[in-house]
Amino acid sequence: MSSPPLRILVATRGRPIELDRMIRSISDAPPGSCLVVIENGSTKLSTETVEAAATPLESRYLRLPSGNKSAALNVALATANDDDLIVFFDDDVEVHARTLHAYVEAARRSGPNHYFGGPVAVEYEDRPPDWLLPHLPSSARGCSAEELRAAGPNGTFLGANWAAWARELKATDGFDPGLGPGGSTGATGQERDMQRKLRALGSRGVVVDDAIVRHQVPRSSCTPAWCLRRHHRNAIGEGLQGDAGNGASLFGAPLWQWSRLLHAARVWMTSRFKGRPERFEGSMAWTRERGRLRGLRLRRGRTR
């Protein structure tokens, strides 16, 4: 199979410094590659930011008035040709020199009915305490190729660094505007949801070891309070996208979830008399089950 045309999609919102750094990190792209930056819900970024960046890429700037990342990605995806390989990067990563070539080579080897993802390394503005590190979400903790491979062909790649064929992405109903930044549900997971849709169409994940990006993690994204908020949003997404089963329900959620919530409440109460790490773990258990309950109840409302 010949090398596919490469189209890089980046949704951004009012972060010109981070975006400029990301674009400048793309120092070596396959011939014919195109960068599409779509700003959503902000007026802080101008088209000159994209045009002024030192990059050999053909660049295109789009703008969506509403602050919704999923809707922005859908608009940008509509500009792609069916044969394009779409690479998704976050606006606050730095792209390693081999990454784009590694994606093209993997796509040429694997062909259609596959989607791709690579490792995400992290660089902390201020390293969080050791007791908090295991509880950070993958976006703030990083993810190695070994961890991605352990998840198997049904694994989910981080939204900061993955790729898929345009034709297969368009065969779904698009990114869910209810998920992700600006979404109506408050849940994360628009990339996880899209990759689930791709698998439902017969696609399988391929880990690309050399497709590496480095995520710049600010101090504000490494605090216990931020971590709890993020886990709450992740859990809403899990509830929305999970299987509620066919058992009895109460107030729009299955009884087993209410049981989990009560157990988490007991863990949280008991942890109040322990050390800080234990208190945090208790708070996280309570936070996650509350989020999962909300997601399950939202799921029922969305599927009526």
Side-chain angles (χ1 to χ4, degrees), residues 112-293:
N113 299 317
H114 294 89
Y115 62 98
F116 311 89
V120 176
V122 296
E123 183 174 323
Y124 294 112
E125 180 183 11
D126 188 6
R127 181 182 168 84
D130 289 342
W131 65 265
L132 183 60
L133 274 172
H135 303 298
L136 292 174
S138 297
S139 59
R141 192 180 66 248
C143 194
S144 68
E146 290 74 20
E147 290 173 298
L148 294 173
R149 194 169 288 106
N154 292 329
T156 298
F157 301 121
L158 295 184
N161 184 25
W162 73 289
W165 296 98
R167 179 179 286 106
E168 294 171 14
L169 290 163
K170 291 179 179 182
T172 72
D173 58 356
F175 290 91
D176 186 343
L179 303 177
S184 58
T185 65
T188 61
Q190 74 270 26
E191 295 94 355
R192 181 171 62 245
D193 180 61
M194 173 57 82
Q195 291 171 34
R196 177 187 61 80
K197 294 174 182 176
L198 291 173
R199 289 194 297 273
L201 294 175
S203 190
R204 291 294 177 264
V206 175
V207 178
V208 185
D209 292 48
D210 292 337
I212 304 169
V213 302
R214 182 174 296 276
H215 183 206
Q216 306 292 324
V217 183
R219 185 181 299 109
S220 60
S221 295
C222 293
T223 66
W226 179 89
C227 188
L228 288 175
R229 289 193 298 270
R230 187 56 178 263
H231 277 291
H232 180 71
R233 295 183 62 215
N234 288 350
I236 294 174
E238 291 168 9
L240 272 168
Q241 298 167 37
D243 184 5
N246 298 316
S249 64
L250 178 67
F251 299 121
L255 290 180
W256 57 261
Q257 179 56 40
W258 289 104
S259 176
R260 290 178 59 135
L261 185 69
L262 288 174
H263 175 73
R266 288 194 293 270
V267 171
W268 177 75
M269 290 296 292
T270 303
S271 72
R272 298 302 87 195
F273 307 100
K274 298 182 179 180
R276 189 177 187 188
E278 292 80 8
R279 293 200 305 272
F280 179 82
E281 289 177 10
S283 295
M284 189 169 71
W286 172 240
T287 296
R288 287 190 61 82
E289 295 307 329
R290 284 172 50 236
R292 191 174 286 110
L293 176 68

Side-chain angles (χ1 to χ4, degrees), residues 18-36:
E18 291 85 350
L19 178 64
D20 180 72
R21 183 173 59 214
M22 188 281 294
I23 296 175
R24 291 175 186 274
S25 73
I26 305 175
S27 57
D28 184 19
S33 299
C34 177
L35 170 68
V36 179

Side-chain angles (χ1 to χ4, degrees), residues 14-125:
R15 298 204 292 189
I17 295 174
E18 291 85 350
L19 178 64
D20 180 72
R21 183 173 59 214
M22 188 281 294
I23 296 175
R24 291 175 186 274
S25 73
I26 305 175
S27 57
D28 184 19
S33 299
C34 177
L35 170 68
V36 179
V37 174
I38 180 161
E39 185 180 15
N40 60 105
S42 173
T43 58
K44 295 180 180 179
L45 177 64
S46 67
T47 185
E48 286 80 12
T49 305
V50 177
E51 293 175 349
T55 174
L57 291 167
E58 174 193 348
S59 301
R60 183 175 180 185
Y61 172 81
L62 304 172
R63 185 169 182 274
L64 185 72
S66 62
N68 187 298
K69 182 179 179 180
S70 291
L73 290 174
N74 287 334
V75 169
L77 180 60
T79 69
N81 297 317
D82 287 351
D83 293 334
D84 288 348
L85 179 68
I86 308 297
V87 178
F88 298 94
F89 291 140
D90 279 356
D91 61 4
D92 58 353
V93 303
E94 293 185 13
V95 182
H96 284 213
R98 277 279 305 153
T99 294
L100 294 176
H101 288 279
Y103 272 132
V104 168
E105 291 166 7
R108 189 180 66 245
R109 288 194 307 268
S110 300
N113 299 317
H114 294 89
Y115 62 98
F116 311 89
V120 176
V122 296
E123 183 174 323
Y124 294 112
E125 180 183 11

